[in-house]
């Protein structure tokens, strides 16, 4: 940091960029929050919906040259399919076991599918970093001293629309009613006539849709697709979820923006090398004073 | 069908049983070990390397093989996959040394794996108290400074990284008309071992020697996707020399952000992390103008047949320099095996290994496939002439060549 | 209407129900009484499908329920109001009531039932926008029963509805149960408050350590004080 005539301009600009970056983190964290909130399971395989969504975007937009909205839809659908697979393999057959068992299963799914995806990239392209189509990568809006990347605006808008759709589903639909009842407790949901298993499958599908969308947008803003995006998404997504409050959806959204903001501002104000350490330290401090995270309350207040 | 299976099985068993007696010279082969990351994230480097080795071996064997003790034998590669994991490298290294009885072990790409594997080797030659392994080992990359000094049994052919940077800084200054740079800015990918070592050992040394201070210095991580903060700082410093100690993934993201923010340093230099077709695929126009050192320019006429074969096998139009280094390494092994005076018998293995080591250590003016003469240095590193490559008009072009001078300024 | 034949349930090694047989006829109030740990709640949880019996059979409305998923049992009109009420704490009173009608799709009828429930329990109408967790004990009980009514139960299973209520409210609660019966709802009532339950019930089963030890007409059991004391101890 240098305290010069650009200090405040750069401080604000960094904050804007951080919040924009954070909207992708928020999308990644929502999937974790949904599954944690409904099942109390750390779904470590969720990052793979991001990685496969990114891959679907790469194949459909980069390879098949499909229009952006269609390839975005391909990414979302792929995320949903991967999430269904996770539900089928890592949750449904072993759901009555100790909660650690499904978590270990999702860990296995993560590692295995990351290796498979890496081999697919290698087989198809002979490399693991591929250009992700983004025709607007150089487009930007200038407001006086401030600059906003067009692709970040797109990302943020898509995130806002998806979150609005999620809220509509939760508070205005029959599925949302079922989800809220399942979040209150599986027994009570059963007694209210909710098909809990089917509702959970829908929750996995919603989480997968968010993961697939996040994967597409991540590739889009970075101009790059790679098979390791899932690991990054899992780390950042879990971090975001805990910051926001385990299982809380508003927490995942605000947590993502806070994380993006903190990462970039601490890089700007303090140190590049210790950026993650600083963000982690802040999280630790927050959790000391607010163990439930920013938005976490009691267990039932999950969604 | 079952009968055939049984036969094959029986043949396999008898081959196994017969192996020790029939091995080596009498078997008509000479054994060479190889470990590279063939799967996992390191495969992007390991696969182009093993392809370089295999093309060379196929050429050598097709031409009759290697002349040892008056007889032509085939080069037999014992290839293993270390997945870029140090612990896996160590067990592979032990296996190749003790159960496969190879004459020498080639590999691996990653410095941190080579370092760990070579930690098993004898530290001091002829020291009876040193029980370290005694087998010649050679990597065709492992660029981290000082790795080959671990043991007198360890060698590299990729050159000395600091020499490359030192020469490149001289060359950009000469291209700049000898004038001092007004604003030197450096960027380090701080969580990657090779980049961090290149910055600390090579670049910082070169800057200090010239009494240059960086006007701005930024860091990022290998897997970062947002570079806006760093690039803003770079922009404020208005650099005329920009030094990248970073690999292509981060280079591309940073350079795209530089293009967005309109930062155009007069000179941009990078270490060999920029030697990847992904720079162009991912970065497009944004990466044009960057200059990096190379041991073999992919379009050099001397490597044309290798490039053609490589392209045929991978579908890639571009071949990274380390594919050539692996290819060259196999011819170097052939040369050493032929001139070391080995017997290639099971009971002469220990002395043969020592002879091979001595031959490598005393290598002098060996003409490589590109027609350049190579000599082994005291640290186990081959000193060699470098070329400097730039990205221009969507492709890689020579920027400076030892005999042709500046080419695409 | 509901019949259990020799139903056994185990939690791991522990046999919680050792062969329960009971019958609930249409239009009746049947009560299950017994001391703590006698297996009353376990019996209800088994009927509603939350627990799987290890042997025996359960018939409801002419159909065998073995292996039926709990949500399907609820949808067939067998409504369980569990002990402690299990409200949807973070939803409003109105949302809790509508959750009771989750399985129904007849929108107009749901609205009129909502009106009925709010007439029956006016306090619920007053508090309709409050979160359930802010309600008092009596209000919570009303909400739990109101929510159950919203699902138009054929058979209503109430688990300890008097638990934690002030004496006056306990009385009111038993009154509401009789009212429900007079309106034609069949009720299976689990209670520790044996006298209160027997006063409104038609028929009673006394449970001890997972077994039915006595079954009898509720009125005659109420008068048989020695028998009651013998099986219920302090009750």
């Amino acid at each position: 940091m240098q305290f010069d005539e650009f200090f405040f301009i750069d401080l604000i600009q960094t904050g804007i960029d951080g919040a924009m970056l954070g909207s992708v983190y928020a999308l990644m964290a929502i999937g974790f929050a949904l599954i944690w909130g409904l099942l109390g399971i750390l779904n470590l395989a969720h990052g793979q919906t991001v990685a496969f969504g990114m891959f679907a975007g790469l194949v459909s937009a980069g390879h098949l040259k499909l229009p952006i909205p269609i390839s975005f839809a391909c990414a979302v659908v792929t995320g949903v399919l991967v999430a269904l697979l996770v539900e089928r393999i890592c949750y449904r057959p072993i759901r009555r076991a100790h909660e650690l068992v499904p978590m270990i299963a999702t860990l296995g799914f993560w590692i295995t599918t990351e290796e498979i995806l890496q081999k697919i990239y290698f087989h198809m392209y002979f490399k693991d970093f591929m250009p992700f189509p983004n025709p607007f990568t150089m487009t930007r809006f200038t407001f006086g001293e401030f600059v906003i990347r067009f692709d970040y605006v797109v990302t943020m808008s898509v995130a806002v629309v998806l979150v609005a759709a999620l809220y509509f589903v939760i508070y205005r639909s029959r599925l949302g009613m079922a989800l809220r009842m399942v979040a209150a407790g599986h027994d009570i949901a059963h007694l209210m006539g909710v098909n809990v298993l089917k509702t959970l499958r829908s929750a996995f599908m919603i989480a997968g849709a968010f993961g697939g969308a996040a994967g597409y947008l991540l590739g889009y803003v970075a101009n790059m697709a790679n098979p390791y995006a899932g690991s990054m998404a899992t780390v950042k997504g879990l971090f975001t979820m805990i910051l926001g409050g385990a299982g809380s959806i508003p927490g995942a959204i605000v947590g993502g923006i806070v994380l993006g903001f903190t990462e970039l501002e601490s890089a700007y104000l303090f140190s590049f090398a210790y950026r993650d350490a600083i963000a982690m330290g802040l999280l630790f401090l927050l959790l000391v004073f607010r163990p439930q995270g920013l938005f976490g309350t009691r267990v039932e207040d999950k969604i | 069908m079952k009968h055939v299976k049984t036969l094959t099985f029986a043949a396999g068993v008898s081959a196994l049983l017969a192996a020790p007696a029939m091995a080596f010279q009498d078997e008509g082969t000479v054994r060479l070990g190889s470990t590279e990351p063939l799967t996992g994230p390191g495969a992007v480097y390991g696969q182009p390397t093993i392809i370089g080795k295999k093309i060379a071996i196929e050429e050598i064997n097709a031409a009759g093989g290697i002349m040892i003790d008056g007889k032509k034998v085939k080069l037999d590669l014992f290839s293993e996959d270390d997945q870029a994991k140090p612990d896996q490298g160590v067990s592979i290294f032990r296996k190749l040394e003790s159960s496969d009885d190879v004459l020498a072990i080639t590999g691996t790409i990653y410095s941190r794996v080579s370092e760990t594997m070579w930690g098993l080797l004898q530290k001091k030659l002829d020291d009876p108290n040193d029980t370290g392994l005694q087998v010649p080992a050679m990597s065709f990359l492992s660029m981290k400074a000082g790795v080959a000094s671990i043991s007198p049994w360890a060698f590299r052919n990729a050159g000395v990284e600091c020499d490359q940077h030192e020469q490149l800084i001289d060359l950009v200054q000469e291209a700049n008309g000898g004038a001092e740079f007004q604003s030197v800015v450096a960027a380090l990918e701080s969580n990657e071992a090779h980049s961090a070592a290149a910055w600390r050992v090579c670049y910082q040394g070169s800057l200090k020697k010239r009494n240059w201070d960086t006007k701005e210095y930024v860091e990022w991580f290998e897997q970062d996707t947002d570079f806006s903060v760093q690039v803003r700082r770079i922009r404020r410093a208005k650099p005329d020399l920009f030094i990248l100690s970073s690999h292509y993934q981060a280079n591309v993201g940073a350079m795209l952000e530089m293009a967005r923010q309109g930062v155009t340093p007069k000179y941009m230099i990078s270490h060999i992390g920029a030697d990847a077709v992904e720079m162009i695929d991912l970065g497009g126009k944004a990466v044009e103008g960057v200059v990096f050192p190379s041991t073999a320019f992919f379009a050099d006429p001397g490597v044309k047949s290798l490039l053609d074969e490589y392209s045929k096998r991978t579908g890639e139009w571009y071949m990274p320099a380390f594919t050539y280094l692996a290819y060259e390494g196999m011819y170097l092994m052939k040369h050493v095996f032929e001139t070391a005076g080995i017997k290639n018998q099971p009971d002469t293995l220990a002395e043969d290994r020592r002879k091979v080591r001595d031959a490598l250590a005393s290598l002098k003016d060996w003409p490589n496939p590109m027609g350049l003469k190579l000599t082994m240095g005291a640290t186990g590193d081959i000193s060699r002439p470098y070329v400097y490559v730039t990205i221009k008009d969507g492709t890689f072009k020579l920027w400076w060549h030892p005999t042709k001078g500046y080419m695409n300024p | 209407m509901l019949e259990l034949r020799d139903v056994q349930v185990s939690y791991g090694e522990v046999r919680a129900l050792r062969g329960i047989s009971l019958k609930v006829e249409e239009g009746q109030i049947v009560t299950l009484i017994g001391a703590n740990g006698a297996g009353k709640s376990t019996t209800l949880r088994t009927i509603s499908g939350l627990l799987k019996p290890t042997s025996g059979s359960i018939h409801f409305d002419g159909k065998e329920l073995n292996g039926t998923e709990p949500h399907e049992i609820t949808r067939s009109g067998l409504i369980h109001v569990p002990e402690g009420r299990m409200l949807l704490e973070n939803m409003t009173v109105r949302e809790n009531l509508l959750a009771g009608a989750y399985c129904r799709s007849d929108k107009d009828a749901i609205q009129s039932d909502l009106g009925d429930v709010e007439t029956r329990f006016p306090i619920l109408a007053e508090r309709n926008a409050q979160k359930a967790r802010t309600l008092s004990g009596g209000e919570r009980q009303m909400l739990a029963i109101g929510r159950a009514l919203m699902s138009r139960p054929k058979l209503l299973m109430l688990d300890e509805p008097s638990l934690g209520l002030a004496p006056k409210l306990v009385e009111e609660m038993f009154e509401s149960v009789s009212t429900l019966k007079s309106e034609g709802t069949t009720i299976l009532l689990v209670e520790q408050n044996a006298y209160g339950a027997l006063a409104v019930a038609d028929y009673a089963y006394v449970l001890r350590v997972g077994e039915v030890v006595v079954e009898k007409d509720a009125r005659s059991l109420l008068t048989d004080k020695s028998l009651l004391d013998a099986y219920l101890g302090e009750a």
Side-chain angles (χ1 to χ4, degrees), chain B residues 10-60:
Chain B
V13 169
S14 59
L16 258 174
L17 294 173
M22 280 288 293
F24 301 90
Q25 195 72 354
D26 304 332
E27 197 186 36
T29 64
V30 56
R31 297 179 169 199
L32 180 64
S34 164
T35 173
E36 300 292 351
L38 303 180
T39 59
V44 253
Y45 296 104
Q47 286 290 347
T49 304
I50 196 77
I51 290 173
K53 288 185 189 179
K54 285 187 173 157
I55 292 173
I57 291 171
E58 284 165 28
E59 283 176 7
I60 290 168

Side-chain angles (χ1 to χ4, degrees), chain A residues 174 180 187-188 193 298, chain C residues 45 75 86 95 102 133:
Chain A
R174 199 175 136 78
R180 292 160 74 199
D187 275 1
I188 183 157
R298 283 169 302 176
Chain C
R45 290 172 64 80
R75 284 171 193 203
M86 278 202 191
E95 284 173 325
Y102 173 77
R133 62 166 181 264

Side-chain angles (χ1 to χ4, degrees), chain A residues 30 64 79 104 217 254 301:
Chain A
I30 282 173
L64 309 174
I104 300 296
L217 294 173
V254 176
D301 203 8

Side-chain angles (χ1 to χ4, degrees), chain A residues 6 19 35 41 49 97 105 120 122 135 142 144 149-150 154 164 186 201 208 241 249 258 279 283 292 296:
Chain A
F6 302 116
I35 301 304
I41 288 175
T49 63
I120 295 174
F122 215 80
T142 310
R149 274 169 67 176
F150 177 73
V154 171
H186 291 196
R201 194 172 59 208
M241 180 186 80
I249 284 173
V258 168
L283 173 82
Q292 69 273 45

Side-chain angles (χ1 to χ4, degrees), chain A residues 82-94:
Chain A
V82 172
L84 277 175
L85 208 59
V86 173
E87 192 260 355
R88 216 43 207 244
I89 296 171
C90 307
Y91 174 67
R92 188 179 287 232
I94 46 183

Side-chain angles (χ1 to χ4, degrees), chain C residues 12-43:
Chain C
E13 297 291 301
V14 183
R15 286 174 66 207
L17 298 187
R18 302 161 178 243
I20 298 268
S21 298
L22 61 83
K23 254 187 188 172
V24 180
E25 300 294 350
E26 191 158 359
Q28 275 189 337
I29 296 183
V30 172
T31 184
L32 290 183
I33 53 180
N36 230 343
K40 304 178 305 256
S41 293
T42 304
T43 308

